[in-house]
Amino acid sequence: KERGLDLIGWRRVPVDNSMLGKEPRDSEPITEQLFVGIGNKSGQKEFEQDLLLVRKMAEAEVMDMLGPESGFYVCSLTSTHITYKGQLTPEQVSQYFLDLKDPNFISHLALVHSRFSTNTFPSWERAQPIRMMCHNGEINTLRGNKNWMYSRGGIMESPVFGDDTSHLLPATSDNMSDSGNFDSVLELMTKAGANRPLPEAVMMMIPEAWQDNDNLSETKKAFYEYNSCVMEPWDGPAMVAFTDGRYIGATLDRNGLRPSRYYVTKDDHVLVSSEIGVCNDLPDMDVVVKHRLEPGKMFLVDFESQKIIPDNEIKEKIASQ
């Protein structure tokens, strides 16, 4: 209400926990869904920015009262998509969340993560997708990335949030996994007022190998060189899939040490996966395009223009702006 938003109501998210093992059941959270109206905001962008601020302020308030191990976690607070996740196997997700069995529940996209973390202890809140992305691999530059983001906090300003910018910080935390920290910075870069589209933020965080690369245009080299002063690369090996509702895509870091393949079918379905054989019942005769994601490249679908945008096209467009 302080931000001019309307509280419409709450509901308890219906679940079936009969298939859970002992550890997930012992730590199973109560999941509730909040409905927020746009209130006096001028449009979706301003609405999204205020939703980010409200969530950050709520998280800070709960942490002050109950500490970092409170168990309070916001899976998503956005008008573009909903995150369903937990300490579950892939098969259990649709069994556990009864919403996903409802025939009236329809989405034009799905971002699915089916692996437990290998460098942090599994938990409900660390499950993926996070809020804008999911990740196969690890961020080996994480300590440096976190330190640089923390050091910028003292001079960080947003023309949108003004004095409230401090509520968005710190952007990184030792209480989050490498994926959680990446997601938090990605969200900050796309919503904190720089008018930066999601593909541009991903390019900044996971750049191509641009130095001494004769295959890159001078425009793209200049983009990467300039932004290397703004953001250090979050180097893997990593394959990152991302979405904000308008875009959905994936990128492979410049080391290229994680698999990623994509298919496009005759009926305009697009499938991207880090493994082969995810859809065993997909006949080859229905596939129009079958290819792999190459090191440093991006696969992107733009639902506003209703097309797949090639790596070079989207990057040249962003770099030339």
Side-chain angles (χ1 to χ4, degrees):
K1 291 182 179 179
E2 291 178 9
R3 301 299 303 180
L5 304 178
D6 295 331
L7 175 60
I8 298 173
W10 295 81
R11 74 158 185 152
R12 183 80 171 263
V13 176
V15 299
D16 175 8
N17 65 2
S18 61
M19 81 296 296
L20 296 184
K22 183 180 184 305
E23 287 189 14
R25 189 189 293 268
D26 289 345
S27 59
E28 180 187 11
I30 295 172
T31 306
E32 296 195 357
Q33 187 174 21
L34 170 69
F35 294 88
V36 182
I38 196 169
N40 59 12
K41 303 306 163 185
S42 60
Q44 185 182 25
K45 182 176 180 180
E46 186 182 358
F47 186 35
E48 285 292 311
Q49 290 168 335
D50 274 319
L51 288 174
L52 170 63
L53 183 60
V54 166
R55 196 198 83 227
K56 290 282 191 177
M57 293 174 69
E59 290 170 342
E61 187 172 334
V62 172
M63 181 173 289
D64 288 342
M65 290 189 300
L66 303 177
E69 303 300 324
S70 66
F72 176 80
Y73 181 82
V74 181
C75 293
S76 57
L77 186 59
T78 172
S79 63
T80 63
H81 54 276
I82 306 173
T83 300
Y84 288 86
K85 68 173 189 175
Q87 198 171 334
L88 308 163
T89 65
E91 294 78 11
Q92 289 175 337
V93 175
S94 60
Q95 299 171 14
Y96 181 81
F97 292 108
L98 301 183
D99 287 349
L100 303 180
K101 293 183 177 182
D102 192 323
N104 295 314
F105 194 101
I106 299 172
S107 175
H108 62 290
L109 62 85
L111 190 62
V112 181
H113 189 273
S114 61
R115 296 180 61 197
F116 283 125
S117 174
T118 54
N119 56 6
T120 56
F121 193 77
S123 65
W124 286 81
E125 70 274 11
R126 288 194 180 103
Q128 298 189 42
I130 315 292
R131 298 185 180 98
M132 296 187 73
M133 53 76 73
C134 60
H135 168 216
N136 174 26
E138 55 273 331
I139 304 296
N140 286 330
T141 56
L142 181 63
R143 175 51 59 190
N145 296 131
K146 288 162 63 177
N147 288 344
W148 276 110
M149 287 304 301
Y150 186 79
S151 68
R152 292 189 182 102
I155 59 172
M156 196 173 291
E157 295 181 5
S158 168
V160 173
F161 295 107
D163 293 339
D164 289 327
T165 304
S166 60
H167 293 301
L168 304 177
L169 305 172
T172 58
S173 169
D174 289 337
N175 296 316
M176 295 189 291
S177 65
D178 54 354
S179 304
N181 279 286
F182 184 100
D183 181 89
S184 180
V185 174
L186 183 64
E187 188 178 43
L188 184 69
M189 291 177 64
T190 54
K191 295 184 180 180
N195 205 27
R196 185 179 290 117
L198 179 58
E200 180 178 349
V202 173
M203 287 174 64
M204 292 173 62
M205 296 180 71
I206 310 179
E208 297 178 75
W210 57 272
Q211 292 173 305
D212 301 319
N213 185 347
D214 295 333
N215 295 319
L216 283 187
S217 68
E218 293 303 316
T219 305
K220 282 201 285 185
K221 283 185 180 180
F223 171 87
Y224 287 126
E225 183 175 10
Y226 174 81
N227 283 290
S228 68
C229 301
V230 179
M231 176 64 61
E232 300 72 35
W234 293 61
D235 269 337
M239 193 279 274
V240 172
F242 51 86
T243 188
D244 62 358
R246 173 186 170 174
Y247 297 105
I248 189 168
T251 191
L252 196 60
D253 80 314
R254 54 191 174 181
N255 296 304
L257 298 177
R258 285 293 179 269
S260 183
R261 301 189 68 85
Y262 61 86
Y263 291 23
V264 181
T265 66
K266 290 180 179 178
D267 59 353
D268 293 330
H269 281 79
V270 177
L271 302 146
V272 181
S273 176
S274 61
E275 311 293 340
I276 298 174
V278 172
C279 297
N280 293 323
D281 57 349
L282 182 62
D284 281 345
M285 66 179 67
D286 293 337
V287 177
V288 179
V289 177
K290 182 189 297 185
H291 197 53
R292 70 182 180 91
L293 198 55
E294 298 175 358
K297 302 302 182 183
M298 181 184 296
F299 181 87
L300 188 72
V301 178
D302 181 356
F303 291 107
E304 189 171 286
S305 62
Q306 299 184 10
K307 67 177 186 178
I308 299 169
I309 305 181
D311 174 86
N312 193 57
E313 179 181 332
I314 185 62
K315 290 182 177 177
E316 284 289 351
K317 179 180 178 180
I318 289 173
S320 62
Q321 290 176 344

